Amino acid sequence: MESEKAEGSSAGSEQEGNILQTKMSRRTFLKLSAATAAATAAVTTVGGIALKSRGASNAQSTAQTTTDLFAAVPITLTVNGIPYTTTIEPRDMLVNVLRENLSLTGTKRPCDRMECGGCTVLIDGKAVYSCTTLAMRMPGHSIETIEANNITVTDSTLAALQAAWVTYDASQCGYCQPGRLMAATALLKNNTSPTVDQIKAAVAGNLCRCGTYNHVIAAIQAAAASL
Amino acid sequence: MSLAVVGNPNITRRDIPSKVTGQLVFTYDINPATLGLANDQMLYMGMVRCPYPNAIVKKIDTSAAEAAGYVVLTEADFAEYNLMYVGSGQPHAPISNTVLYPGQVVAAVAAPTTDEVEDAISLITVEYDVQPFVLDVQDALAPNAPQLFPAGNLPPGAVNPENGMFTAATLRIAWGDADSAIASADVVVGGLNSPIELNTAVIQQAEMEPWCDVAMWSGSLPTVPGPTTPTSPESTTPSAPMGTGLTVYDTTEAPFLGQATLAGYFNIPLNSVRVIGSGIQGVGASGFAGMTMGNKLGNAEHVIITAMMALKSGAAVKYGPTRNDHLAITSQRFSERAYLTFAATSSGMLTAIKGVVYENSGAWAGANGSDTISDILNMYNVANMDISLIPVNTNTHHYSGAFRNVGESQGHFFLERMADMTAQKLNMDPAQFRLMNLHGATVDTQFDPQSGYRYSGYEGYQAFQAAMNQFGWSSLWKGWGKPSSTNGSVYYGVGFSAHNGQKGLPIPGSNVKITVLSNGGVFINSGRTENGAGSDTAIPIMGAESLGLTSLDNFNPAMYPGAGYLHADTALTTNDSIQGGSTSTRSSGISIVLACEALKEQWAPAIAAALGVPANTTLIFANNTIYPEGNPSNFKTFTEAAALLTPANGFELGSVTGSGSLLFNTPANTTYRVGGGKFVMVAVDVETAEVRVISAVVGMDIGRVIFAKGAESQVQGGFTQGIGEGLFEEFWNDPTTGRNTNYNFHDFRMATQMDAPDSITPVWVEYVDPVGPFGAKGIGENCSMCVSAAIANAVSNALGNYPFTTTPITKADIVTAIQWMKDKGMLPAQP
Ligand code: FES
Ligand code: FES
């Protein structure tokens, strides 16, 4: 009988797409990335954190290698126009900070690996997957989530889409829909009369297992017409 | 019957505003703050999973994780407790050192933050004895195959009296003499020694919200809030004291089954376990849990593991599975392999069906595939039948079990590919072949050929014809060997599948309560979960119709404080059975109609007195008014009548409540089937091998449409899901390592927005089903049933009748078919 030793759930790490988490936890990965960044690139500062920038010489970077990237740090994020100050680990992705630190759980996290779009938020008006966006990069940026209109209506485009979603029954279980609504909001902010193909392209990154895709198209068309 | 809200196309989904604003808190969204807990009162759990398909845990070292302060569970923590099972399969511990599928849990670990869960997992070291594995159903039955269980690879059925071992849950149903009929038939597809082999794939549930649990034991923790703050007087007293024993928030479709499972496992009284299977903080007091497929049936390992972790740690524990985890904890749609033979007369009369179906039960399940067999028995009038089912345990996946139209899409794929191949051999229009042979065309043939039970209402034959006509089959189908049309390299194919599925039975034990408050508000208490299928709207629609209301406004707590719908909390709600099998409309519908009748009976005397008519006068509830039969001008508005619900009038609670229970599967000797057909047009580019479904028409024997927008969405969504099954979805184990290679959304490809057809058109055949409320049946699962078969037939039509026998039809299959056409000179050679 063959005997094999595996660390934690790590034995599949050599195999792409295996069920198992890779040997590297996110913390280890970021430690390594930070070291690589320090060794090969200059460091710029965004929102108080050292980040990699391309094309600079090694010499410029060495001074930054002592930065502790793993201590919990305070951060201020502007979400739906409201400044929130919280403490995060630098490895935290925006989706987790929204959901866990700020209790803004309207933003969903179906896959946590950039495959489904369920975590889509607007950053400076652009649709972005928040599961792969480091929260530390977000100070100074404007974040908009599905909760934007819950106290007062601050985004009429989103409001029109939300109303159309109800009329066209574009949602069943609803878990994928906040992300899709944010992607659709980004579309209509740039293009108030999109074609069907443009609509499909704009929400193609948002998976829905319930599958009411055609109602989504109808709802986006109706919202566009109402704006 | 004139209906105001039933079938009204303007009624919108009640819970949708809370979903499109992000306000509804799903189980996966629960934080300590949601439950009024401090951050340090909740731990987050992760799983250590074995990568091998068959292995024994030799050694597990948890010391580093424990030294770091994390709480760990291994098999030893479960030693003093009962065994459990999934899918009627073999008993096992929730965490077992005997691993039978890749991804099986071998340890669980809890950490104070979600960030630290993956750190904690990486501190646990496991040593395995890796065992030989088997992935294929027939390989698993070969002599010398690796054995999953001491009794072999056949899942449990009856006990064999000869050796006391479980025998397989195999099944053989035969009538007539299939062998002789095949031997003497004019036309045979397959043959006694050369049956046609057909295969389907293992498919993941892949719902977007992973199946999540939050568990806590009373003692150190504060009492947790319920799913809503119920203000309706009849529901303020929980049936079990809150905050004692075990409370579990669970993304479940079966909260009461979950409660029974947990109570049984921990050997504690039923009312010491509270399972809450609904969203919290929803607008309109509506709850929500899960997805539109039935895999979350309460008796899964991780629910017990989460509760055990809460017991061991003394904290509230949240298990919010990663996507990888999720795909390893649920049930899967099983793959099946069939060997079939069809025989017919030269005039097109089907005379025999013979064959065997192997079901891949996965590692831990019992048999599931009898639905496949039921469909094979019911679809066609056949004088000679001989069909067997052999379920087999393999190391491919966790367990085969509940899934949207479990067993039936496989059965329809087999039947409808075979039917097309038979019609082709007869050189007969395949639609005419169906019309000639479909079972249940007339009332005297509407019965299950095996049991003899009669179908309740059935117009499946008419629904097939209606879809055929709406699609324009007779002009689009150009004959065998001819695509419907071509445009350069794009070949358009048309095809269809007939449909006769068995979902939507009324489930005994569905209990519903409805209350009218003195302000006119209406409140429903039903333990059913709302998983997106629309029962949160459909059941109030039937309640409103029964009470003579013309909208759902009276259920809206913003307009009528205290109104609403309380779902799925074993401490607060009725047991309203499970959400699954397309049973909700019929089951809760029957119960809510009964509940409304019981309510009216109590309320009527007070209304009659106010109207100045004798107490026993028959009252009509219609148009938001109540009046004596035959005298609509002497009326009270609903609101005026509700204002009579005062203690002075004998209504001590200021409200009136009626209860309704569907107690038995009424009437006796009845079976429940939904029929119709799905017609599709596909475009296949013979240069790029791209396939796109262009349009579809879905004919459905629905009985009565209750929630019109919801029914339409079920068809859209079900059909779209079927596209994935037909063209992409396949859970895949590497044959050399046995490991699963696509536990994610990227490699497990399902239909996306880009795959949505230009149109999916439902064609409802409405009539009054004698059993269903307002004549309704249940259609949810039937919407995806047979889509893969219809697509396969259409793609075959586009590609020169290439004999596809597997689903999904992948791009590689299309490339093979195109090459086959080229070899046969059916396509211009490559320039
Ligand atoms: S959670 Fe971010 S893409 Fe899926
Ligand atoms: S609405 Fe359920 S996943 Fe999209």
Side-chain angles (χ1 to χ4, degrees), chain B residues 331-346:
Chain B
S331 62
Q332 281 86 2
R333 183 196 297 289
F334 39 93
S335 57
E336 286 184 341
R337 175 175 303 145
Y339 291 95
L340 291 177
T341 298
F342 274 31
T345 65
S346 57

Side-chain angles (χ1 to χ4, degrees), chain A residues 171-177 180 207-212, chain B residues 208 291:
Chain A
S171 158
Q172 289 191 316
C173 84
Y175 207 73
C176 70
Q177 300 295 350
R180 182 175 290 96
L207 284 179
C208 177
R209 188 53 156 168
C210 297
T212 40
Chain B
M208 299 304 284
M291 229 307 286

Side-chain angles (χ1 to χ4, degrees), chain A residues 111-117 119 128-133 205, chain B residues 745-746:
Chain A
C111 77
D112 203 18
R113 47 178 285 166
M114 222 175 172
E115 291 168 350
C116 75
C119 62
V128 172
Y129 287 174
S130 63
C131 69
T132 34
T133 300
Chain B
F745 285 144
H746 181 262

Side-chain angles (χ1 to χ4, degrees), chain A residues 207-209, chain B residues 206 208 724 728-729 745 748-752 755:
Chain A
L207 284 179
C208 177
R209 188 53 156 168
Chain B
M208 299 304 284
F728 316 120
E729 294 180 22
F745 285 144
F748 181 80
R749 161 93 157 86
M750 50 200 207
T752 75
D755 302 306

Side-chain angles (χ1 to χ4, degrees), chain B residues 186-547:
Chain B
D186 299 334
V187 168
V188 174
V189 173
L192 289 175
N193 298 315
S194 54
I196 306 285
E197 178 184 333
L198 302 107
N199 285 283
T200 68
V202 175
I203 291 183
Q204 282 289 349
Q205 308 275 353
E207 38 314 49
M208 299 304 284
E209 183 198 13
W211 184 351
C212 179
D213 294 287
V214 180
M216 65 203 82
W217 294 80
S218 63
S220 56
L221 295 163
T223 301
V224 295
T228 57
T229 308
T231 48
S232 171
E234 60 85 28
S235 65
T236 46
T237 318
S239 57
M242 284 194 272
T244 62
L246 171 65
T247 297
V248 177
Y249 290 83
D250 183 18
T251 318
T252 183
E253 295 173 323
F256 289 85
L257 177 59
Q259 179 194 34
T261 301
L262 287 161
Y265 188 80
F266 290 101
N267 208 8
I268 54 178
L270 199 59
N271 67 3
S272 295
V273 178
R274 181 183 183 196
V275 174
I276 300 169
S278 66
I280 42 186
Q281 300 179 2
V283 171
S286 74
F288 168 80
M291 229 307 286
T292 52
M293 290 172 290
N295 71 314
K296 294 162 177 160
L297 292 178
N299 53 344
E301 292 89 352
H302 66 97
V303 185
I304 294 172
I305 297 169
T306 311
M308 186 68 86
M309 183 63 88
L311 189 63
K312 184 168 183 179
S313 67
V317 172
K318 177 176 178 181
Y319 178 50
T322 64
R323 179 52 51 184
N324 286 358
D325 273 345
H326 174 69
L327 296 176
I329 64 181
T330 62
S331 62
Q332 281 86 2
R333 183 196 297 289
F334 39 93
S335 57
E336 286 184 341
R337 175 175 303 145
Y339 291 95
L340 291 177
T341 298
F342 274 31
T345 65
S346 57
S347 61
M349 191 70 71
L350 199 56
T351 54
I353 293 179
K354 174 168 178 152
V356 56
V357 177
Y358 293 92
E359 168 199 320
N360 179 356
S361 304
W364 287 107
N368 280 283
S370 59
D371 294 27
T372 306
I373 301 300
S374 172
D375 289 354
I376 292 174
L377 303 179
N378 278 275
M379 181 73 97
Y380 294 110
N381 292 316
V382 190
N384 303 286
M385 174 71 72
D386 184 352
I387 190 84
S388 301
L389 173 73
I390 304 178
V392 186
N393 287 119
T394 71
N395 298 113
T396 54
H397 63 276
H398 184 198
Y399 73 107
S400 297
F403 198 113
R404 194 175 197 166
N405 70 65
V406 58
E408 298 202 73
S409 60
Q410 297 96 314
H412 278 75
F413 177 76
F414 300 149
L415 282 164
E416 292 303 275
R417 278 305 293 144
M418 289 297 292
D420 253 33
M421 289 191 270
T422 308
Q424 184 190 348
K425 204 155 184 179
L426 288 159
N427 196 22
M428 185 175 175
D429 177 340
Q432 291 308 318
F433 178 74
R434 300 321 196 277
L435 291 171
M436 195 164 165
N437 290 293
L438 280 175
H439 183 61
T442 57
V443 173
D444 48 315
T445 61
Q446 290 169 359
F447 61 88
D448 181 290
Q450 184 195 2
S451 64
Y453 287 5
R454 297 207 53 82
Y455 296 175
S456 74
Y458 188 78
E459 298 201 359
Y461 188 84
Q462 291 84 337
F464 176 83
Q465 276 184 312
M468 182 179 92
N469 295 336
Q470 167 94 20
F471 184 75
W473 174 260
S474 57
S475 57
L476 290 172
W477 192 71
K478 301 289 166 42
W480 292 107
K482 299 184 189 120
S484 183
S485 62
T486 60
N487 181 4
S489 63
V490 179
Y491 283 50
Y492 292 89
V494 291
F496 63 85
S497 169
H499 163 214
N500 180 342
Q502 62 163 347
K503 296 292 186 281
L505 78 160
I507 298 190
S510 289
N511 304 291
V512 177
K513 287 201 259 182
I514 188 163
T515 298
V516 175
L517 309 171
S518 59
N519 66 2
V522 186
F523 185 91
I524 290 178
N525 175 324
S526 129
R528 194 166 289 280
T529 58
E530 164 59 279
N531 64 2
S535 57
D536 176 68
T537 308
I539 297 167
I541 284 175
M542 292 183 277
E545 193 70 56
S546 300
L547 295 176

